[in-house]
Structure formats: structure tokens, C-alpha cells
Amino acid sequence: MRKIPAARLALGKTEATASSLIDRLLFFDRDLNPIENLLGNALPDSVRPAASFWEHFPELDKAAIKLAFRSLEDNAQPLRISGDFGSAGSQGLTIYRIGDLFAVVRSEEYVDEERATLWHLATHDPLTGLPNRRQFSEDLSALLQETLGGSETFSLMQLDLDDFKPVNDTLGHAAGDKLLQLAARRIQACLSQEDRAYRLAGDEFTVISVGGGHPAKAHSLAEDLVAAFKKPFTIDGIAVFVGTSIGISTAPSDGTSPEQLMKASDLALYTAKKDGRGRARAFEPTMLEMLEQRELLRRSLRMALDQQQFYVEYQPISERGCIVGFEALLRWRHPLLGKIPPAAFIPMAEADGMMPEIGAWVLEQACREAMKWPENYIVAVNLSVAEFLTSGLTDRISQTLDLVGLPPERLELEITESVLLERTVNNIDTLNTLNVLGLRISLDDFGTEYSSLSYLKTFPFDTIKIDKYFITDLETDLKSQAIVRCVVNLAHDLDMQVTAEGVETPGQAEWLRSVGCDRLQGYLVSRPLPVEAIDEFIARAETSESHA
């Protein structure tokens, strides 16, 4: 198999060559203002562009040229204008559109050197110097044609930078650009002469690896890349940690067209991220089956609410041996696939913007059901990130309570720490408004995500819920005991209650009561109940409590 072609023309030219071009090749942005020379050499003052394209070429008919510019598209036929434009020997202009740039060639004759320079600009990323998506598509198609005619293989790798966005958001876009440049160099440092890296867009890179030994060679290269990105980047003296997740596909076994190979490596990349990021995964046919299942669920999810496929179960909450309420848990019974776990469909609903509508339905159902319980019982309802960030949340909740007639103090809204990642004024106002309405607010899954004690100081909470992760081995693990004990004491000092989730054994319950945990929830108390079983459960609970 042939080696992947090197760049047709390097951006950095010798000074003599560059100086022969700079008086003929000028660059302007989309507003036709001059930009820095992209050839890598400083422009002397004598040939530096004027304040604008129009001042540089005053002979041109502005209206006619603007109209002609609108027809220019990337890599399409250039706009050629003949005439004398004030430079000795200059008999015309040739104008190319390359992305958001206009390259203007002023010469007596369009020469191969200038054509090669413009071709390089059209096929390479100006930030990192790597070949761009256009060059990648051409190389991939050419290699596939060769592979289909022989017995050799090659591999395609898609790379995404992990945690790139936080760097861009916190340190600024200039730091983000610098990080992309450093990442490109780090990728290239891992490659052999038979490999080639590309930047497709944003923090998306690809690598085509040819030569013998695939797919094993690609797996080894991917592990080298993952290891290389475990080392910090230094940007303006700041150490930044950004890893990479990689998806691998191999031709022709995983695909015989560019689309098939890209889809295979994309599925492998998705799996790498789902498995925890900072790792490489190779495509397997089961990944395609899982994708098809996800797409089936996504399509079905859009009809589930209208077709009444959702329902709510209620898990009892115990306090000092007495039932004090229930947590409403959303369930989905698919007509063909049966019960779908919430962990499978709720992220889909959030991603597709359906959770506010679904959440409003759950809230109303739970409040109506709570009206049938004893007046001292509360109902706890989970509030997703998507719902919390939707405008008008507090008005909708208030309207639902008025519609149903449930006193606000009987409703407890559960939010996770991910809701609080951005300590915006709107977030604080929303929580304070809910608090003023008289609702109870619970911080769910405390300690498992982005825990920060500042949340407890900044936001008004009535309850902290300790995740079952810390409860499972509570009877034997000293670290879990220390964490739970500290959370209970901290909450009480802040005038908050504590609920322990996932309580399954009498030993766990006894230990939690010994340290002052207020409420218990889990299979020891009861599994989630269908609506039909609640009345009987309450009757048994009240009988048991009266005899205690």
C-alpha cells in the first residue's frame, strides 16, 4: 500500500520564494479587511494591504464585485478579473474563496507556485497546520480504492479531546487555540511515517494508519496516544489536563466506503466515552446493534407520553420506623420491549428536549396521588437538569399545586448536584423562589458527582440524600462509615435532614439510626409500589405503627 501523501506544499516557505509571492498574493477576511499573511512571513510595509480591499483596488466596480462575491463558494471556480491594477506587469486579479478567507492573486499569469499555495490553504487547517476535512476525505477515498483491489488493510481512528470545553470556557479561546496546536503536535509525535493526522473541526481529530499489522498496529498506536494525553499541557504557565478518547475502525473488515468506516469509528468512539473516556475502543458489530436499539427507543420515546406508556411507582420513605411519604419514580413500559430502565431512557429524553413535558406530567400525577394519602405524608419528585434550566419552572410548579390542591409543604423536589454546576443568579433565584413557595428541596445523590460544600452554604436545602454507593458496604467499610457519619453531622449542624438511599439490611438500618440518620429508603422498607398497592401498604403501615 502506498504511503499517505505528504502535504502538497508546506506553509513555511523560504524567504526568497515567499518574497516573490507577497506582492501578488493577498488575503482578506469575509468583510474584505486585510489579515495577516498566511504564508508565514511578515509583509514589508511597501506591499502591506491597504485599509480594505476596496482601497487596495479602487479601480473596481464595488457593486458588481460584491454581487460576484456572493456566487463564490469554497473550492469553486475562482473569480477572474482582467485589467491594469496599478502594479507593473499586473494584468488581472484572480480571487478565491477559502473558508472565511478571500485570497487575491495579482499577476500577469497565474503560475503553478501560486496554485499550489492556494491548494495547500484549501486543504489544510490554518490553526494547527494539519490537513483538513477535505484532504482527509480525498485520502480516505483513495486508500479505500487501493484496499478494495488488494489484500492489505489500514485503520481509521477518530479522536476527541476530553474536557476541552472547560479549558476553552475558563481560560479563553486563545488558550483553547493554543491547546489545539499543542494537541496536534502531540498526536504527530506518536505517528510513524506511514501515518497521517487530520483536524476535522473543533477538538475532533482523525488519524489514518497504513502499513502492515492492522488492526494490531492501530491498537498499539491508540494506546500510545491515550498515554501521551495523560501528561499535562502547559498554557501560559498553567498546567492543563486534557485526555483523549479514541474510536478505531479497520478497512475493509469494518467498512468498504468512507461513510461505513466513519460510522464504525464513531460508534467505537461513543463506546470509549461511555466506558469512562480517556481510552480507546475498536469497533465491534454489537455496537451497531446497540445503536439501532437506541434509535428505536428514541423514536418510540417521542410517542410514549401520548400513548400513555409512562407510569409512576412510589417507594416509601421511613422516619423513626414510621412511613412519612413516598418518592415518585418514573417508569416506561414499551409495547414491544417491555420495561425500559430509567437510566436508558431519561438521558435520551433530556438530550431530545422532552423532559420538561414528561416531568410536568410526572409532577401532576404524583401530586394527585398524594392527595389520597394521609395529610402528614410528603411526595418526593425528581427534577432533571433539563427541567430545572427551563424558563418558567416555578410558575408551572405553583400552577400544578393550585390545580391539584396539594399544600406546598407536602411536596419535596429532588435535584442532583449537576444542576448546580453553574452558580448562576438564575439558579439561585429559582431555588430561593421554590423555597419561598414553601416547597421542600432535597439534594439527591450527595457525594457521587461534583460535590462541593459551598453548595450547602449557597443554596437552601431541607434534605441531603446519601447515595446507596455509600450504604452498600456500610456495615464493613470504615471509609463509608466515616463519610456517612460526617455527612449526617454536617447536615444537622446546617439544620438539614438526612435520607439514606439503598438501605437493604437491618444492620445498615441500625447503624444509620445510631449516627442519627433521619430517614431511610430502600428495599428494607419497601420496593417501589404500583399505584394499586399503595392503599393496602398505608393501611398495614398505620396498623404496625399503632401497635409499636
Side-chain angles (χ1 to χ4, degrees):
M1 180 177 289
R2 69 181 175 87
K3 182 179 176 181
I4 301 176
R8 286 179 167 81
L9 183 67
L11 277 174
K13 290 179 159 293
T14 64
E15 184 176 347
T17 303
S19 62
S20 69
L21 292 176
I22 56 178
D23 64 339
R24 300 196 303 266
L25 182 58
L26 303 173
F27 297 94
F28 299 87
D29 63 20
R30 62 190 303 169
D31 297 318
L32 297 178
N33 295 315
I35 63 174
E36 293 295 327
N37 179 26
L38 298 185
L39 295 177
N41 301 80
L43 289 171
D45 292 338
S46 60
V47 294
R48 188 175 296 275
S52 72
F53 174 88
W54 307 113
E55 291 183 38
H56 204 74
F57 302 108
E59 304 91 345
L60 295 177
D61 183 330
K62 182 179 292 189
I65 295 300
K66 280 187 174 182
L67 182 63
F69 275 165
R70 294 176 185 172
S71 65
L72 277 180
E73 297 181 358
D74 290 1
N75 310 314
Q77 289 296 319
L79 174 65
R80 289 192 169 89
I81 306 170
S82 60
D84 183 358
F85 295 100
S87 178
S90 173
Q91 297 299 316
L93 299 177
T94 305
I95 304 174
Y96 282 79
R97 181 172 178 178
I98 306 172
D100 285 339
L101 307 181
F102 288 104
V104 180
V105 179
R106 178 176 58 189
S107 62
E108 183 176 356
E109 183 179 357
Y110 191 67
V111 295
D112 290 342
E113 187 175 34
E114 290 156 345
R115 186 187 300 274
T117 302
L118 289 172
W119 178 260
H120 180 90
L121 291 171
T123 57
H124 285 72
D125 170 40
L127 179 64
T128 64
L130 293 179
N132 62 13
R133 185 182 293 275
R134 171 179 176 161
Q135 188 64 59
F136 166 73
S137 298
E138 291 185 1
D139 288 349
L140 182 59
S141 297
L143 286 171
L144 274 171
Q145 289 296 322
E146 291 187 15
T147 301
L148 296 178
S151 59
E152 297 186 43
T153 63
F154 70 91
S155 293
L156 168 65
M157 286 178 272
Q158 288 199 59
L159 296 78
D160 272 6
L161 303 188
D162 300 327
D163 298 318
F164 171 74
K165 188 177 184 301
V167 174
N168 219 25
D169 292 343
T170 57
L171 299 183
H173 292 291
D177 288 348
K178 180 65 174 177
L179 178 58
L180 290 172
Q181 292 172 332
L182 295 174
R185 294 175 196 168
R186 193 167 291 188
I187 292 171
Q188 288 179 298
C190 295
L191 306 185
S192 69
Q193 291 185 345
E194 296 177 310
D195 307 323
R196 192 175 187 188
Y198 308 79
R199 183 190 176 207
L200 301 190
D203 62 338
E204 302 173 21
F205 296 84
T206 60
V207 171
I208 297 178
S209 180
V210 301
H214 288 277
K217 178 188 174 185
H219 294 175
S220 177
L221 173 58
E223 293 301 327
D224 289 343
L225 287 165
V226 169
F229 273 80
K230 291 185 182 297
K231 302 173 184 176
F233 294 89
T234 302
I235 301 176
D236 297 331
I238 300 173
V240 176
F241 289 87
V242 174
T244 184
S245 299
I246 302 176
I248 309 169
S249 60
T250 301
S253 59
D254 296 334
T256 56
S257 71
E259 293 76 18
Q260 289 174 338
L261 272 184
M262 284 293 288
K263 182 176 182 179
S265 60
D266 190 53
L267 286 172
L269 176 60
Y270 173 85
T271 304
K273 290 182 175 181
K274 186 179 179 182
D275 289 347
R277 304 191 301 179
R279 64 196 67 212
R281 290 289 183 264
F283 172 75
E284 297 175 2
T286 54
M287 296 177 184
L288 185 57
E289 296 174 8
M290 293 177 62
L291 174 66
E292 292 171 346
Q293 291 177 1
R294 286 200 306 272
E295 290 307 310
L296 173 61
L297 284 182
R298 179 168 278 112
R299 291 192 297 270
S300 301
L301 190 57
R302 295 188 176 277
M303 301 180 292
L305 190 58
D306 291 338
Q307 296 182 357
Q308 299 181 346
Q309 296 172 12
F310 290 126
Y311 62 100
V312 180
E313 290 186 334
Y314 297 87
Q315 186 166 35
I317 303 170
S318 171
E319 182 175 338
R320 298 183 181 88
C322 299
I323 300 301
V324 294
F326 298 85
E327 178 181 358
L329 301 171
L330 176 64
R331 299 289 188 256
W332 179 21
R333 184 181 290 108
H334 191 280
L336 298 177
L337 303 177
K339 291 184 178 180
I340 308 298
F345 72 83
I346 288 181
M348 289 184 185
E350 289 185 324
D352 290 352
M354 292 183 284
M355 272 314 295
E357 184 179 2
I358 295 173
W361 178 84
V362 173
L363 178 64
E364 183 173 342
Q365 294 297 310
C367 289
R368 290 190 182 281
E369 185 61 31
M371 289 293 292
K372 305 174 186 176
W373 307 337
E375 294 183 357
N376 61 316
Y377 277 31
I378 66 166
V379 60
V381 179
N382 291 277
L383 202 61
S384 73
V385 177
E387 291 176 84
F388 187 83
L389 298 178
T390 303
S391 61
L393 170 69
T394 55
D395 289 339
R396 288 196 300 275
I397 293 175
S398 180
Q399 291 168 6
T400 300
L401 291 173
D402 290 342
L403 175 67
V404 174
L406 185 73
E409 62 271 14
R410 292 185 58 193
L411 175 62
E412 182 166 288
L413 296 176
E414 297 188 3
I415 64 172
T416 61
E417 293 168 303
S418 55
V419 170
L420 309 177
L421 280 179
E422 297 184 16
R423 295 180 178 83
T424 64
V425 173
N426 287 340
N427 284 359
I428 297 175
D429 286 346
T430 298
L431 285 174
N432 283 327
T433 301
L434 293 173
N435 187 262
V436 169
L437 289 174
L439 308 177
R440 297 178 57 86
I441 304 173
S442 173
L443 181 58
D444 199 9
D445 299 336
F446 183 75
T448 59
E449 295 187 32
Y450 309 93
S451 297
S452 172
L453 296 181
S454 61
Y455 296 154
L456 304 182
K457 180 179 179 181
T458 306
F459 299 105
F461 296 111
D462 298 286
T463 305
I464 294 176
K465 298 191 74 172
I466 304 176
D467 189 76
K468 63 182 180 180
Y469 172 81
F470 300 106
I471 307 300
T472 301
D473 57 359
L474 188 61
E475 296 176 79
T476 57
D477 187 79
L478 296 179
K479 292 181 179 179
S480 292
Q481 293 178 3
I483 291 171
V484 172
R485 185 183 296 110
C486 287
V487 172
V488 171
N489 291 335
L490 175 64
H492 288 168
D493 286 344
L494 295 173
D495 198 25
M496 301 176 187
Q497 288 189 314
V498 181
T499 300
E501 296 182 292
V503 181
E504 298 184 355
T505 69
Q508 293 170 347
E510 183 179 353
W511 193 94
L512 287 164
R513 292 192 189 102
S514 72
V515 297
C517 183
D518 302 287
R519 295 176 176 176
L520 307 182
Q521 189 176 347
Y523 288 176
L524 179 68
V525 179
S526 173
R527 291 177 177 270
L529 302 171
V531 171
E532 300 80 13
I534 292 180
D535 287 344
E536 182 181 350
F537 179 86
I538 293 176
R540 289 202 314 267
E542 291 183 336
T543 300
S544 175
E545 292 164 10
S546 65
H547 292 162

